[in-house]
């Protein structure tokens, strides 16, 4: 059986490293925040691999909508993923164990966790109101598995063996610096604490136990050192046996030999979770669960995510788009992130954003890129609403420092990075270019930038070009260009509003206002120098 909650058809070859645009769009920090609670699960590759069809986008959106509308199933799905994580850990231990008794024990626990996980999943899905194709198919395949005679036989065999193992119950009696092993039975409660125990004896038990635990080399945590009486778990690593546990097993072998015979026989039981589709589902579910929990954290900080609409025809329209990386960084500071609207007019392929430095140009370009990425992943995007066609890939080129290691100049490095973007990956991509050719003359930079945008436009791409060159935003001299300008406060040009509006390029850098605001224009500097000289002469 081949089935996925991420792809409706064939599985792709997953990426093991982040795409190039992750750094430019500051997605790596967002990604770390999303997966921080799920580091034990193999889900990185899912966020690194861009789906190859709009059908996959819709398929994932349906599944995520089911999760949102069935809040009660979230707990069951998390229990399911954790059970399978324990299943895989037990299986690894069974493969590593040389002793047949341990091998059989671990394999039995592997099977038990696997069965319990599948029963949890079935109960969770049967109790949910599902509309997605993915979950509906998963529920159907799961029912087929439970109806399979071979699976039923497997279930009975595991339950019968596990019931024998559960008979191994005992009481550890700590008294007079000795540990006694008492098999549990009707009289166990009477034997566990002798009647002649004094209060002093009972107070000394933790200290006695502490010494005995050290003597038997049982690994414990710092709690034993600080407050041994508060420790409730004698064996902090339940899947790994200590010398004390081995001694206990030696005692029990004599009274319950049939149980240990069964465990040795179970070592040759034919079962492996590797390659099982339902085991693989745990990681795919964590892809959705991790993002859902991330969304809840954002909502608590006042930021909303919304489902993008993937359209067959038309251009990109986004309202209330904001930089998710900046919002996550500022979520506790009380500093709000300014949203903007982006809408490509008919026949326009590139938004050319100009305006003052530190006015939010790059932030908007990055935010739009983030929206495109999350749309392609079938997840919610940082905006109020969004309509966009499917893009085959995201291409970005942000300004970088000149590399001393390569020995190449900055312009040469930019061209070397642009070449594969333009020759191998150009078709039907979303392109973000940020402050290119800054080391070239304005005339040369303008010519090269126009050729670059024209190339991407001819290959069916949409994009954003952030630049300080006002001529590039002239809609009358180049087809497909739409100008947007970063705004300043109408009363104080030194104050950036971080709002960016569609309008004709202003031809103003506003640097003179910044210089004057901080007392650094020529007249102010001259006055300070004159004052300093006058003070010395006085």
């Amino acid at each position: 059986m081949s089935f996925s909650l991420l792809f409706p058809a064939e599985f792709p070859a997953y990426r093991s490293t982040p795409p190039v645009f992750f750094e430019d769009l500051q997605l790596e920090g967002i990604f770390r925040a999303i997966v921080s609670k799920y580091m034990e699960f193999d889900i990185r590759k899912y966020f690194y691999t861009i789906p190859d069809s709009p059908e996959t986008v819709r398929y994932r959106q349906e599944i995520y909508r089911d999760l949102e509308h069935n809040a009660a199933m979230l707990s069951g799905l998390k229990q399911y993923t954790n059970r399978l994580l324990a299943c895989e850990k037990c299986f690894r231990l069974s493969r590593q164990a040389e002793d047949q008794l341990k091998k059989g024990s671990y394999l039995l626990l592997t099977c038990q966790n696997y069965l319990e996980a599948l029963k949890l999943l079935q109960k969770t899905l049967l109790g949910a109101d599902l509309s997605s194709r993915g979950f509906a198919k998963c529920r159907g395949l799961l029912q087929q598995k439970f109806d399979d005679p071979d699976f039923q036989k497997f279930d009975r065999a595991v339950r019968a063996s596990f019931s024998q193992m559960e008979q191994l119950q005992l009481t550890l009696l700590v008294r007079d610096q000795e540990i006694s092993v008492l098999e549990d039975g009707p009289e166990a409660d009477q034997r566990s604490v002798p009647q002649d125990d004094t209060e002093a004896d009972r107070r000394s038990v933790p200290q006695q136990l502490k010494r005995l635990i050290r003597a038997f080399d049982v690994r414990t945590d710092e709690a034993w050192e600080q407050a041994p009486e508060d420790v409730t778990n004698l064996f902090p690593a339940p899947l790994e046996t200590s010398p004390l546990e081995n001694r206990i097993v030696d005692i029990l072998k004599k009274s319950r030999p049939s149980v240990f015979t069964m465990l040795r026989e179970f070592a040759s039981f034919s079962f492996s979770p590797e390659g099982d589709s339902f085991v693989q589902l745990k990681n795919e579910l964590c892809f959705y669960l991790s993002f859902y929990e991330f969304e809840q954290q954002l909502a608590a900080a006042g930021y909303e995510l919304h489902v993008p609409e993937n359209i067959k025809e038309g251009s990109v329209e986004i309202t209330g788009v904001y930089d998710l990386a900046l919002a996550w960084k500022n979520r506790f500071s009380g500093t709000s992130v300014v949203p903007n609207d982006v809408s490509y007019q008919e026949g326009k392929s590139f938004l050319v954003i100009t305006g003052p430095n530190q006015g939010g140009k790059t932030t908007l370009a990055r935010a739009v890129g983030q929206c495109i990425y999350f749309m392609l992943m079938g997840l919610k995007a940082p905006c109020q609403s969004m309509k966009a066609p499917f893009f085959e890939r995201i291409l970005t080129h942000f300004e970088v420092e000149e590399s001393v290691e390569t020995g190449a100049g900055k312009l040469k490095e930019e061209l070397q990075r642009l070449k594969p973007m333009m020759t191998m990956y150009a078709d039907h991509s979303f392109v973000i270019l940020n402050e290119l050719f800054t080391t070239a003359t304005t005339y040369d930079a303008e010519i090269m930038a126009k050729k670059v945008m024209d190339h991407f436009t001819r290959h069916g791409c949409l994009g954003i070009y952030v630049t300080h060159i006002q001529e590039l935003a002239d809609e009358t001299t180049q087809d497909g260009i739409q100008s947007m300008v970063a705004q300043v406060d109408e009363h104080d040009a030194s104050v950036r509003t971080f709002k960016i509006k569609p309008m004709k390029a202003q031809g103003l850098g506003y640097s003179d206002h910044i210089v004057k605001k901080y007392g650094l224009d020529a007249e102010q500097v001259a006055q300070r120098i004159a004052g300093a000289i006058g003070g010395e002469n006085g």
Side-chain angles (χ1 to χ4, degrees):
M1 179 192 69
S2 179
F3 170 70
S4 171
L5 287 174
L6 293 178
F7 295 92
E10 295 183 3
F11 298 15
Y14 291 112
R15 290 182 59 103
S16 59
T17 57
V20 174
F21 64 79
F22 256 52
E23 181 177 355
D24 286 342
L25 301 183
Q26 294 188 358
L27 285 168
E28 191 62 40
I30 299 172
F31 167 73
R32 286 195 299 269
I34 293 172
V35 304
S36 60
K37 297 180 181 178
Y38 291 83
M39 298 301 290
E40 292 183 281
F41 298 88
D42 183 20
I43 60 175
R44 288 176 174 270
K45 60 186 179 184
Y46 302 141
F47 287 94
Y48 293 162
T49 306
I50 304 296
D52 58 0
S53 73
E55 180 61 24
T56 299
V57 173
R58 289 188 287 271
Y59 182 77
R60 294 183 179 189
Q61 288 177 342
E62 292 173 4
I63 291 172
Y64 196 81
R65 192 177 300 115
D66 267 348
L67 284 174
E68 285 188 303
H69 294 169
N70 294 274
M73 71 186 291
L74 294 171
S75 175
L77 293 179
K78 290 192 71 171
Q79 291 179 55
Y80 170 74
T81 59
N82 288 328
R83 275 281 188 175
L84 287 180
L85 201 64
C87 168
E88 290 182 322
K89 184 172 183 179
C90 289
F91 184 70
R92 288 195 298 271
L93 290 170
S94 74
R95 298 278 292 268
Q96 297 167 4
E98 297 180 359
D99 179 78
Q100 291 298 100
L101 181 59
K102 289 185 178 180
K103 184 182 289 289
S105 301
Y106 289 136
L107 190 56
L108 178 56
L109 289 172
T110 299
C111 297
Q112 174 70 5
N113 278 302
Y114 175 78
L115 289 169
E116 288 299 319
L118 263 57
K119 291 170 185 176
L120 267 171
L121 180 61
Q122 184 185 50
K123 180 181 178 181
T124 300
L125 297 183
L126 287 174
D129 180 18
L130 304 175
S131 60
S132 66
R133 290 167 290 167
F135 274 134
K137 185 175 181 180
C138 180
R139 183 167 57 187
L141 291 172
L142 191 58
Q143 187 59 52
Q144 290 179 23
K145 192 172 187 70
F146 278 99
D147 291 340
D148 180 24
D150 288 338
F151 180 79
Q152 293 174 357
K153 183 179 178 181
F154 165 68
D155 184 21
R156 287 193 298 270
V158 172
R159 282 191 287 113
S161 298
F162 198 78
S163 65
Q164 292 186 59
M165 191 174 180
E166 285 184 313
Q167 296 174 15
L168 296 175
Q169 299 180 12
L170 55 92
T171 297
L172 293 182
L173 176 61
V174 180
R175 180 175 169 79
D176 298 330
Q177 300 191 29
E178 293 181 354
I179 293 181
S180 301
V181 179
L182 306 177
E183 287 195 60
D184 283 358
E187 69 282 8
D189 290 339
Q190 285 75 29
R191 294 183 302 174
S192 58
V193 180
Q195 298 300 313
D196 60 347
D197 266 3
T198 65
E199 184 64 26
D201 290 334
R202 287 191 289 272
R203 285 198 303 268
S204 69
V205 165
Q207 294 301 327
Q208 295 178 35
L209 183 57
K210 185 175 178 180
R211 288 193 296 271
L212 289 164
I213 290 305
R214 286 175 173 168
F216 280 106
D217 194 29
V218 176
R219 289 187 299 167
T220 59
D221 53 29
E222 293 181 359
W224 281 105
E225 301 300 327
Q226 304 300 324
E229 67 276 6
D230 294 335
V231 175
T232 58
N233 184 6
L234 185 59
F235 310 112
L239 290 180
E240 300 176 18
T241 57
S242 67
L244 173 59
E245 290 170 293
N246 291 334
R247 293 284 298 273
I248 294 171
V249 168
D250 290 338
I251 295 172
L252 293 177
K253 282 179 183 178
K254 299 175 182 178
S255 60
R256 299 291 181 89
S258 61
V259 177
F260 293 95
T261 299
M262 176 275 296
L263 290 174
R264 289 191 185 91
E265 292 175 350
F266 209 91
S268 59
F269 195 82
S270 179
F271 175 78
S272 171
E274 294 179 341
D276 185 279
S277 292
F278 287 108
V279 175
Q280 294 303 314
L281 282 185
K282 82 175 189 313
N283 293 327
E284 295 185 349
L285 281 169
C286 287
F287 169 82
Y288 296 104
L289 292 172
S290 63
F291 189 82
Y292 179 83
E293 293 183 4
F294 173 73
E295 182 187 0
Q296 303 312 301
Q297 294 179 70
L298 274 175
Y303 295 99
E304 294 184 353
L305 302 175
H306 290 274
V307 179
E309 180 183 350
N310 188 221
I311 56 178
K312 292 183 179 180
E313 296 181 357
S315 195
V316 174
E317 294 183 17
I318 313 176
T319 64
V321 57
Y322 62 91
D323 184 350
L324 187 56
L326 190 58
W328 182 255
K329 179 182 178 181
N330 293 344
R331 67 191 187 281
F332 298 130
S333 68
T335 305
S336 60
V337 178
V338 178
N340 278 284
D341 298 338
V342 168
S343 179
Y344 285 70
Q345 299 169 3
E346 185 176 355
K348 303 299 184 181
S349 300
F350 262 88
L351 301 180
V352 178
I353 306 178
T354 58
N357 291 335
Q358 306 301 316
K361 303 188 299 294
T362 299
T363 298
L364 176 61
R366 188 164 53 231
V368 173
Q370 292 167 1
C371 281
I372 297 297
Y373 166 74
F374 285 112
M375 181 199 73
L376 295 180
M377 298 303 292
L379 299 169
K380 290 186 173 182
C383 61
Q384 285 295 318
S385 67
M386 177 178 178
K387 293 181 180 180
F390 181 82
F391 296 99
E392 293 183 5
R393 58 191 62 82
I394 299 171
L395 303 176
T396 63
H397 192 311
F398 279 50
E399 186 179 22
V400 295
E401 296 295 329
E402 183 175 331
S403 174
V404 177
E405 295 179 1
T406 63
K410 186 174 182 179
L411 178 59
K412 184 176 180 180
E413 288 184 350
E414 289 179 334
L415 293 173
Q416 289 174 338
R417 184 175 170 186
L418 270 173
K419 183 177 179 180
M421 290 171 57
M422 297 178 68
T423 56
M424 291 185 287
Y425 310 114
D427 293 350
H428 309 295
S429 300
F430 191 83
V431 184
I432 303 177
L433 305 171
N434 184 61
E435 296 287 7
L436 293 186
F437 313 130
T438 54
T439 56
T441 66
T442 300
Y443 176 77
D444 290 338
E446 180 184 349
I447 292 177
M448 288 189 288
K450 286 182 176 180
K451 288 184 178 294
V452 169
M453 286 190 287
D454 181 63
H455 175 86
F456 284 120
T457 299
R458 285 187 286 104
H459 283 79
C461 301
L462 290 184
I464 296 176
Y465 199 115
V466 176
T467 181
H468 64 284
I469 303 175
Q470 309 292 327
E471 292 79 6
L472 289 175
D474 189 347
E475 298 178 1
T476 63
T477 61
Q478 191 173 1
D479 293 336
I481 296 303
Q482 181 177 330
S483 174
M484 295 189 76
V485 180
Q487 306 295 299
V488 296
D489 187 275
E490 59 180 332
H491 303 296
D492 184 355
S494 66
V495 177
R496 275 55 171 150
T497 67
F498 306 110
K499 299 297 289 186
I500 299 177
K501 298 181 179 180
M503 59 188 299
K504 183 179 179 181
Q506 302 299 292
L508 299 172
Y510 299 100
S511 58
D512 54 334
H513 296 85
I514 295 291
V515 169
K516 190 170 183 178
K517 178 180 179 180
Y518 291 100
L520 296 174
D521 68 1
E523 183 179 350
Q524 292 166 318
V525 171
Q527 289 176 354
R528 285 203 301 276
I529 292 175
I533 294 174
E536 290 179 2
N537 293 336

